[in-house]
Amino acid sequence: MCPSKVADGGERGWIVPIGGAENKEDNPRILKRFLDLCGGRDAEIVVIPTASQLADTGSRYEGIFGDLGAGRVDVLDFDTRRDCHEQNRLDRIESASGIFFTGGNQLRLSTILGGTPAAKLIRERNAAGITVGGTSAGASILSEHMIGFGKEGASPQADSVRLAPGLGLTNRFIIDQHFRQRDRLGRLVAALAYNPFAIGIGLDEDTAAFIGPDNTLEVEGSGAVTVVDADGLTFSSMAQVSENKPVCLLGLTVHILVAGATFNLHTRKASAGSLA
């Protein structure tokens, strides 16, 4: 699940995790910006609704992107791991200018796509420059380390999160979604206690992190993005505590970003951006 290597002289495509419940009708600015990055009216979008078990999820996003002006939208629903080996599906991913994962259950995504030719090809296509995004569960799957499930609450506990392998477009961050609405700070911080290398990104609903080829995160939407950086961690009790017990963590840095603010995932520096 390691990220694919960007070719010499090439540029990785945008990665666009969305916190779920994005505005789809009155002001669909997140989905419109995603579409613009994929080519606007020339965009060829592949929608992957595998995380959802609702029959109309794929067709709903097909209609939304069509109404926003996409040149072509195809729904590829991988129901089994065998589907992820079919050449006609792989060919459609190969020709797409953008790939979008819907919400649902991220473990359904990881158990069906994980380790298959489809997953490998999506990583390769993002490394080659195409935009890949997803909402809710479709956001969680994008990184190498994925939150499978966990407990609500503001304080991290030793058993408050379970991690699983994600799609692996990048290993720089761990994503959580519906963040403020479902009180998920504790489980994101617990995930960082297991893996302090990564940066925690908590996405509110109707809020997205547009992560460019230069590893700069730009916030879009009506909510906030909570960035938790464990680079300065000086102490963690994670290895000492038992289940149901709180974890002591010293030296965390937290940023609250709204639309217009940015965070550089390479330098780990936040900026007020256009807000200043």
Side-chain angles (χ1 to χ4, degrees):
M1 288 293 184
C2 293
S4 293
K5 183 179 179 181
V6 177
D8 291 340
E11 203 173 63
R12 179 180 56 74
W14 287 73
I15 299 174
V16 186
I18 307 169
E22 68 281 2
N23 192 320
K24 302 176 182 66
E25 298 176 358
D26 300 331
N27 185 18
R29 56 179 177 169
I30 292 174
L31 297 179
K32 180 63 167 62
R33 183 175 177 186
F34 173 84
L35 178 62
D36 289 343
L37 289 172
C38 298
R41 294 194 176 278
D42 295 323
E44 296 192 15
I45 307 294
V46 165
V47 175
I48 300 177
T50 302
S52 174
Q53 293 184 291
L54 300 177
D56 64 344
T57 299
S59 60
R60 185 181 186 195
Y61 278 96
E62 181 180 18
I64 291 168
F65 286 123
D67 291 343
L68 290 173
R72 176 179 176 182
V73 186
D74 290 324
V75 178
L76 293 183
D77 194 358
F78 297 95
D79 290 321
T80 67
R81 291 181 62 83
R82 180 181 296 178
D83 293 340
C84 301
H85 293 256
E86 290 185 359
Q87 192 59 49
N88 62 329
R89 296 173 187 259
L90 299 178
D91 290 344
R92 186 63 195 97
I93 292 173
E94 183 72 47
S95 63
S97 63
I99 298 170
F100 187 85
F101 291 90
T102 73
N105 181 346
Q106 56 262 41
L107 289 175
R108 179 171 165 80
L109 274 171
S110 63
T111 54
I112 292 178
L113 267 73
T116 67
K120 180 181 178 181
L121 182 57
I122 293 168
R123 288 195 298 276
E124 291 175 348
R125 295 297 293 141
N126 180 248
I130 76 161
T131 299
V132 180
T135 184
S136 189
S140 292
I141 191 68
L142 299 178
S143 57
E144 181 176 346
H145 303 284
M146 182 186 78
I147 292 179
F149 56 91
K151 297 179 179 179
E152 296 180 350
S155 299
Q157 296 181 357
D159 63 342
S160 59
V161 68
R162 293 293 183 268
L163 297 173
L167 189 62
L169 301 185
T170 175
N171 60 6
R172 289 182 178 269
F173 52 78
I174 298 173
I175 293 168
D176 211 344
Q177 18 77 12
H178 301 282
F179 194 67
R180 177 174 55 85
Q181 289 77 12
R182 300 187 185 178
D183 194 17
R184 288 178 165 174
L185 177 62
R187 75 180 200 174
L188 180 61
V189 172
L192 294 179
Y194 285 118
N195 186 14
F197 163 79
I199 295 167
I201 299 177
L203 299 161
D204 288 354
E205 293 179 356
D206 189 40
T207 309
F210 282 79
I211 301 165
D214 63 351
N215 284 308
T216 297
L217 180 159
E218 304 170 12
V219 180
E220 184 68 86
S222 63
V225 173
T226 301
V227 175
V228 184
D229 186 0
D231 187 52
L233 192 69
T234 59
F235 176 79
S236 170
S237 67
M238 178 60 85
Q240 305 166 6
V241 299
S242 56
E243 291 188 358
N244 300 315
K245 298 297 183 181
V247 180
C248 178
L249 298 164
L250 305 180
L252 293 175
T253 301
V254 178
H255 305 284
I256 309 298
L257 311 179
V258 298
T262 66
F263 183 83
N264 189 299
L265 294 163
H266 178 67
T267 64
R268 297 176 181 254
K269 299 296 184 183
S271 169
S274 63
L275 296 173

